[in-house]
Amino acid sequence: MTSTAKTKHPLLWVPSSYFTMALTYNMLTAAAVVMFSNLGMDNARAAAYASALGLAYTVKPLFAAFLEMYKTKKFFVLASQIILGVGFIGVSLVMSLPSYISIMLVFFWVLSFVGSAQDITSDGVYVTSLDAKQQALFCGWQSLSWNLGKLAMMSVMVVLSGLLHQHIFNHDPHVSGPEWSKSWQIVFALMGAIMLAMAAWHWKVMPEGARAENTPKTPAEAISTLMDAFVTFFQKRGIWIMIGFALLFRVSFGFLNAPSMLFMKDAVANGGLSLTNQQFGIIYGTFGLIALLIGSLVGGAYVARRGLEKALFPLCFCVNIPNVTFLLLAIYQPESHAVVTAGVVVEQFFFGIGSVGFMIYLMQQLAPGKYATTHYAFGTALMGLCMMLTGMVSGALQQIMGYVGYFVFVMAATIPSFLICWFAPFYVKHNTDEETEVSAEAATE
């Protein structure tokens, strides 16, 4: 640990770091779906544009090593947060232009890569500034803060956009169109201000972050290390089945994610539930997220008790079978918000339980070896690739099939998950009595 780190208590910067990371990520990859729908985009474009923004977070293992070589980790954290702050304010300003969608998408594309750099270097500060005991001690704060950031984005910010649209600008909350731009301009301006405030705060309280012992010193060395990590990754026993696991375990959720949000927002005449932003934010961003967090804790305890090899197939059921709740909601289109909330809570709770199996499998079976951290990152990148590709086509498929037909298709898309879980290899043996801890952040991304 550096001397600088000793003078900065982790509670001054760990919660704020992960809160800021989550705020950025969820704006670009989740709340963007709601915003695009508000602005009048059809489901195909809304899902495709928002899912494509996940590319930067998928490929970040490829450029992470290069951020290690120059300046300090704190420098890149501050630089990324300043750029994000200015960028979100820029998005707010360009939304006043007559044809702003294309410019806004360019801003988002750039900001997604800046956001992924923020993630890499913030994690780097955490890992290199805290010793093993402190990392374990503050892991709970890390996870809690990340999920509070998600709550702030998907609940508070989305609800704020709806309140502004309905009560300040006096527009119908059920009608999509360019009138929504004024409300989202305020949200983006507020996002920019938060990012700049966080940069100022972290400039005062964040440690510099030490250089890791194996940090590459030149670009050539970084490329060589990355290539060696790739080669050894594909030399692992049973790697192709494990790659299939990383790609397919959450494939049904990849198809479900964006259309489920669009379904809750869409008009009843189109087969949706016609929720306002306020209702959506409370149901999905508050109750759904709480259910997801509780499910993650239950899933971790279940794996710790039974061991992953015995627990994996039941966890696959938890990830996939509750998707039927959206099919039932699409068939009956209930007017009761309590019924809709119950459906979302059930799906998110069981998804939280099941997702733990995915993360632990990557940690215990895919990652072990010379490049454990890098290989774990490759596994999560494959999952991100699946989420991005399925998300990009999900909106178009939903428009073709309608909501009922599409949610039937989502249930059929669960079959590859069960098949890959059945054949998933367990070559690295672990003591089933060991207690397993999984970051709630990792389990809910």
Side-chain angles (χ1 to χ4, degrees):
M1 186 193 307
T2 66
S3 59
T4 305
K6 292 178 182 178
T7 65
K8 311 295 185 183
H9 195 284
L11 285 181
L12 292 175
W13 55 273
V14 170
S16 55
S17 297
Y18 284 86
F19 178 87
T20 310
M21 288 163 59
L23 209 60
T24 305
Y25 177 81
N26 286 286
M27 175 65 253
L28 295 172
T29 62
V33 176
V34 179
M35 183 197 66
F36 290 147
S37 177
N38 288 158
L39 294 174
M41 286 189 187
D42 58 36
N43 287 2
R45 288 196 299 158
Y49 290 157
S51 298
L53 294 172
L55 176 64
Y57 291 90
T58 299
V59 302
K60 67 182 181 182
L62 301 181
F63 61 88
F66 296 94
L67 295 176
E68 294 275 349
M69 294 186 297
Y70 307 106
K71 299 290 185 180
T72 64
K73 295 176 176 65
K74 177 181 177 178
F75 170 85
F76 283 105
V77 173
L78 299 183
S80 61
Q81 290 174 352
I82 291 170
I83 295 171
L84 287 167
V86 173
F88 282 126
I89 292 172
V91 171
S92 177
L93 295 175
V94 301
M95 290 183 77
S96 298
L97 300 176
S99 300
Y100 62 86
I101 294 293
S102 297
I103 302 174
M104 181 178 66
L105 290 174
V106 171
F107 267 85
F108 280 178
W109 182 256
V110 173
L111 293 177
S112 68
F113 281 91
V114 177
S116 67
Q118 176 191 214
D119 282 15
I120 293 166
T121 50
S122 294
D123 284 336
V125 172
Y126 183 86
V127 170
T128 61
S129 297
L130 304 180
D131 58 32
K133 181 178 179 181
Q134 288 177 312
Q135 288 176 26
L137 179 63
F138 293 102
C139 181
W141 285 98
Q142 175 201 66
S143 303
L144 174 64
S145 302
W146 199 94
N147 285 292
L148 286 175
K150 181 177 182 178
L151 177 67
M153 188 66 249
M154 295 306 295
S155 184
V156 177
M157 292 295 196
V158 171
V159 168
L160 175 62
S161 69
L163 291 173
L164 290 169
H165 183 75
Q166 182 175 359
H167 299 292
I168 301 300
F169 299 112
N170 299 314
H171 294 302
D172 187 341
H174 297 286
V175 177
S176 301
E179 297 82 7
W180 276 95
S181 62
K182 292 181 179 179
S183 300
W184 281 101
Q185 278 184 283
I186 295 174
V187 170
F188 282 119
L190 180 58
M191 281 282 293
I194 292 172
M195 291 296 157
L196 293 176
M198 288 299 182
W201 173 250
H202 292 143
W203 177 71
K204 293 183 62 177
V205 303
M206 180 177 281
E208 298 292 335
R211 289 174 65 87
E213 292 181 5
N214 60 347
T215 298
K217 297 179 175 58
T218 66
E221 188 177 332
I223 293 173
S224 176
T225 301
L226 184 61
M227 291 303 297
D228 189 40
F230 265 112
V231 171
T232 55
F233 182 72
F234 287 100
Q235 290 175 342
K236 288 176 180 283
R237 184 183 178 190
I239 186 59
W240 291 108
I241 300 180
M242 289 191 281
I243 288 174
F245 179 88
L247 284 170
L248 297 176
F249 185 77
R250 291 168 62 165
V251 66
S252 67
F253 181 73
F255 282 116
L256 179 70
N257 191 31
S260 66
M261 291 188 279
L262 294 166
F263 163 67
M264 289 189 279
K265 293 283 300 155
D266 213 345
V268 172
N270 296 332
L273 299 181
S274 194
L275 299 182
T276 65
N277 279 25
Q278 301 94 299
Q279 294 162 345
F280 171 86
I282 293 170
I283 292 174
Y284 186 89
T286 304
F287 289 105
L289 178 58
I290 292 171
L292 182 67
L293 295 178
I294 295 173
S296 298
L297 296 175
V298 172
Y302 178 67
V303 173
R305 184 180 181 86
R306 291 205 64 191
L308 182 62
E309 191 166 359
K310 293 180 180 178
L312 187 61
F313 206 73
L315 293 176
C316 187
F317 271 87
C318 291
V319 166
N320 290 292
I321 297 305
N323 294 347
V324 75
T325 56
F326 279 97
L327 174 58
L328 295 174
L329 290 173
I331 292 172
Y332 294 105
Q333 291 182 275
E335 296 182 1
S336 169
H337 292 164
V339 173
V340 176
T341 302
V344 171
V345 165
V346 167
E347 189 271 333
Q348 289 288 291
F349 174 73
F350 282 101
F351 179 76
I353 294 175
S355 291
V356 169
F358 175 82
M359 309 312 295
I360 298 178
Y361 186 86
L362 296 191
M363 292 176 188
Q364 294 185 354
Q365 300 298 321
L366 182 65
K370 180 181 177 182
Y371 298 103
T373 301
T374 302
H375 289 172
Y376 178 77
F378 288 168
T380 58
L382 287 168
M383 180 269 291
L385 178 64
C386 172
M387 294 290 290
M388 183 185 74
L389 295 178
T390 52
M392 289 180 68
V393 300
S394 62
L397 291 175
Q398 182 279 313
Q399 287 188 176
I400 294 171
M401 300 178 186
Y403 284 112
V404 173
Y406 183 76
F407 291 139
V408 170
F409 164 76
V410 168
M411 294 305 300
T414 66
I415 295 173
S417 301
F418 289 109
L419 292 175
I420 201 66
C421 281
W422 185 261
F423 293 104
F426 284 84
Y427 297 126
V428 181
K429 298 302 178 181
H430 294 269
N431 181 1
T432 56
D433 293 329
E434 290 179 350
E435 184 176 355
T436 304
E437 294 182 1
V438 177
S439 164
E441 173 198 348
T444 56
E445 276 191 9

